[in-house]
Amino acid sequence: MTDEPAIEAVDLGKRYRRRHKGERTLKSLLIEKLVSCAPVEEFWALRHVEFQVRRGATFGNIGRNGSGKSTQLGILARTVTPTEGEIRVRGSVATLLELGAGFHPDLTGRENIYLNAAILGLSRRQTEARFDRIVEFAGLSEFIDTPVKHYSSGMYVRLGFAVAVEVDPDILLVDEVLAVGDESFQRKCLAKIEEFQARGKTILIVSHALPTIERLCTEVILLDDGSKLRAGAAGEVVAEYLRRTLGRDRLLWVEEYGTRRVEIGGVCMYGADGRPSWDMEGARPARLEIDYVAHEPLDSVVFGFMVKRENDQIVFGTNTQIAGLSLPLPRGPGRVAVEIDPLPLLTGKYYLSVAVHSPDHQIQYHRQESWYAFNVRNGTRHHGEVLFPCRWVLEAGAAAKVTHDS
Amino acid sequence: MKGLTFINEVRCRRSMLRQLVVRNLKIRYKASVLGFLWTLINPVLMAAIYGLFMGLVARVAALDEIFIGVFVWQFTMTCIGDGIHLVLGNGNLIRKVYFPRMILPLATAAANLVNFCLMFGVLMFILVLRQPGVVGPRLVQHLPHLAGLIGLQALLCLGVICIVATANVYFRDTEHLVGIFTTAWFFLSPVMYPVTLVREQWPQFLGPYLANPMAGLLYGYRRALLLTPPALCGPLLGWWALSLAVAAGIGVAGVALFQRRQREFADLV
């Protein structure tokens, strides 16, 4: 029983009929019947999607707007009926409603708690037992008898979140709600979700907030135009998503090209602890490894890497030629590594390009432009993106000389 | 009986049903300063206006008949008004949360039923004031009769709510059509005139006229409550029974329609 996945989707598909113009009215129906043309277009919001969510896993669901995320969530919540395929959900499901849907503005916080809990499936007695915890978690005890129309949007969300988590389902569906509310409440939400995780509950999150997804999820599915593009470990899938969206939005030049006489196989970064990761720690040692395969022997090649920000601005770039190295390459696989100590970056998101090309730059064997995304976390409180190795010197008079390392 | 599983589902979620009924009533009474009073003032004023014109000016109906007509008609009308936006107005909920959809029309019908029962009390009060010592014993005598009529009208209202709510999902101009339809229905029902008016003017159409469920219900209420009820006899009683059957039939048909279509609502709202 416990080995069975909590959610299992088999060849899931959902077809919608989209009308070309306007809403459907009886008038338009009559006109269409009279001129005997019904411009109805069918499209698949979701097709051939398969995935499994293990019991106790936190599963992320990412993709551009219109990629089918919401449809998939609707099917899981049983509000949307799939056109084909099947979904098996084992356990009770509750949805975290966006901005307190199901709240009524004229009712007080107290009345809305009872209403919302009943909508999500709690009986009155169950709600009574949880009422104090809900109010406390939402931090709204002073305003609980105020009509919610006087609430700020943050208070709305807090109340909605508090009710949903107290419903205590086996499977919690979270749709984009974590992005709202102030920072302290966001922390509370994340803590609550982590508590859910610790208790072995299954969570499915749909979000555009990629750092949240990366932090919370063990597995992520990437949807695009209604089909599964990729599913797997959170870091990899998020990187794939960034690659695609950034390329599409032309904010950042994201491209892979080259003759492939030398081919880049895998690129990996290692933190100070020696473990591969896309979350690096600033001011600590880092290591970049590039695995390649040379399909024919070459006299001389240049390996390079570059780090950019999302506006395509270069932070740093170098290559083996600048370093004065001449690399003849025999046929076969190999690896080059770059030691960076310390990594002089401040907190932020960075994009890594790697390339192997001829010494005269005329032939690109394989270039992956901004192909990899990595995060840097820097515990210092400096501003900007580059860490200067600086120290303050205070010369009070001529006598005392105080130095202080940053 | 696969089609009836929703009854059991609704039973499991009766706390939601109860909360929605409470919500509907609270909102109605909280929305304005006068609260509940407004829902009373409205039919009383309407009855006064109709009474003035139809009773005193046109002299086709007694004031008591009009009071009964307006209060009873109001029940059906508020249900239609609430029903139109029932599914579309709760679109967010329908897209996001699973629950037996039938709860929505049930809650609306139930809230309006509660409201009608309160208004019915006021109607009784008015009638007692106008005919002291007469209505009381009649009321006791006809209580089961009246309860049956109210129940039947509630079923009719549930069906009508289901029909207009479903129609509005598929045809967004339903509201305009419903406006025209209810106006026609109003004049085709004996709200501000007695059934006897039709009997006198167009006796040949009286049978089909009575098949209108609101005509049947209004005749029933008046027969139970008025001192000098408009009497029907013979085959006309058969038509009257038919109209009550039509009321129940619309109720069941509306529920069936809603239940058949509700799976598509989340795609369309």
Side-chain angles (χ1 to χ4, degrees), chain B residues 155-182:
Chain B
L155 181 60
L156 169 72
C157 284
L158 177 64
V160 172
I161 290 169
C162 285
I163 291 168
V164 294
T166 309
N168 204 24
V169 174
Y170 292 92
F171 308 109
R172 301 292 164 98
D173 53 356
T174 301
E175 193 171 0
H176 307 293
L177 292 170
V178 166
I180 295 165
F181 172 79
T182 49

Side-chain angles (χ1 to χ4, degrees), chain A residues 10 17 69 107 121 145 189 194 214 218 234 248 254 311 325 327 334 370 377 406:
Chain A
V10 184
R17 292 195 171 82
K69 303 188 300 283
L107 299 182
D145 290 311
C189 290
E194 277 159 4
E214 277 187 280
T218 38
R248 181 144 27 198
V254 181
N311 56 6
L325 295 168
L327 296 176
S370 299
R377 221 167 43 99
S406 72

Side-chain angles (χ1 to χ4, degrees), chain A residues 240-257:
Chain A
E240 168 95 27
Y241 174 63
L242 285 171
R243 219 171 275 159
R244 289 175 173 272
T245 48
L246 292 169
R248 181 144 27 198
D249 297 346
R250 299 275 167 233
L251 282 166
L252 188 67
W253 174 32
V254 181
E255 205 180 348
E256 181 180 33
Y257 60 98

Side-chain angles (χ1 to χ4, degrees), chain A residues 377-397:
Chain A
R377 221 167 43 99
N378 195 315
T380 65
R381 289 161 60 205
H382 305 296
H383 300 288
E385 49 198 38
V386 181
L387 184 70
F388 280 31
C390 54
R391 69 205 299 227
W392 289 96
V393 180
L394 215 71
E395 295 181 7

Side-chain angles (χ1 to χ4, degrees), chain A residues 14 16 23-27 77-79 81 95 97-98 101 104 111 115 118-119 121-122 124 175, chain B residues 13 15-16 19 23 26-27 30 92-98 170-173 177 263 266-267:
Chain A
K14 176 67 191 179
Y16 285 105
E23 294 180 315
R24 186 155 99 152
T25 60
L26 202 59
K27 186 185 75 186
R78 290 213 293 157
T79 59
T81 318
T95 314
L97 295 171
E98 60 186 29
H104 196 283
E111 290 163 336
L115 177 63
I119 289 171
L122 288 189
R124 191 175 173 87
D175 188 4
Chain B
R13 296 298 299 275
S15 84
M16 176 176 175
Q19 285 294 330
R23 176 190 78 168
K26 273 186 180 161
I27 292 163
K30 265 188 188 182
N92 209 350
L93 218 51
I94 285 175
R95 274 197 306 274
K96 299 277 173 185
V97 191
Y98 178 79
Y170 292 92
F171 308 109
R172 301 292 164 98
D173 53 356
L177 292 170
R263 286 162 72 86
D267 300 353

Side-chain angles (χ1 to χ4, degrees), chain A residues 8-14 44 48-50 75 81-88:
Chain A
E8 201 172 356
V10 184
D11 195 26
L12 215 53
K14 176 67 191 179
W44 289 87
H48 304 314
V49 171
E50 306 223 1
I75 292 174
T81 318
T83 314
E84 57 178 38
E86 206 189 327
I87 189 134
R88 287 180 216 120

Side-chain angles (χ1 to χ4, degrees), chain B residues 240-256:
Chain B
W240 181 53
L242 176 68
S243 87
L244 299 185
V246 169
I250 289 175
V252 173
V255 169

Side-chain angles (χ1 to χ4, degrees), chain A residues 104-175:
Chain A
H104 196 283
D106 286 326
L107 299 182
T108 65
R110 179 189 305 275
E111 290 163 336
N112 268 305
I113 287 176
Y114 280 100
L115 177 63
N116 216 285
I119 289 171
L120 292 176
L122 288 189
S123 70
R124 191 175 173 87
R125 192 168 310 155
Q126 285 172 317
T127 313
E128 271 161 12
R130 295 157 205 228
F131 187 82
D132 291 339
R133 265 180 293 160
I134 293 174
V135 176
E136 194 203 312
F137 186 82
L140 288 170
S141 43
E142 296 164 60
F143 305 103
I144 203 63
D145 290 311
T146 309
V148 300
K149 64 182 167 194
H150 301 305
Y151 281 19
S152 68
S153 59
M155 290 157 85
Y156 245 78
V157 180
R158 267 146 60 190
L159 198 60
F161 188 89
V163 174
V165 293
E166 281 299 333
V167 170
D168 202 26
D170 298 324
I171 301 167
L172 181 69
L173 306 180
V174 184
D175 188 4

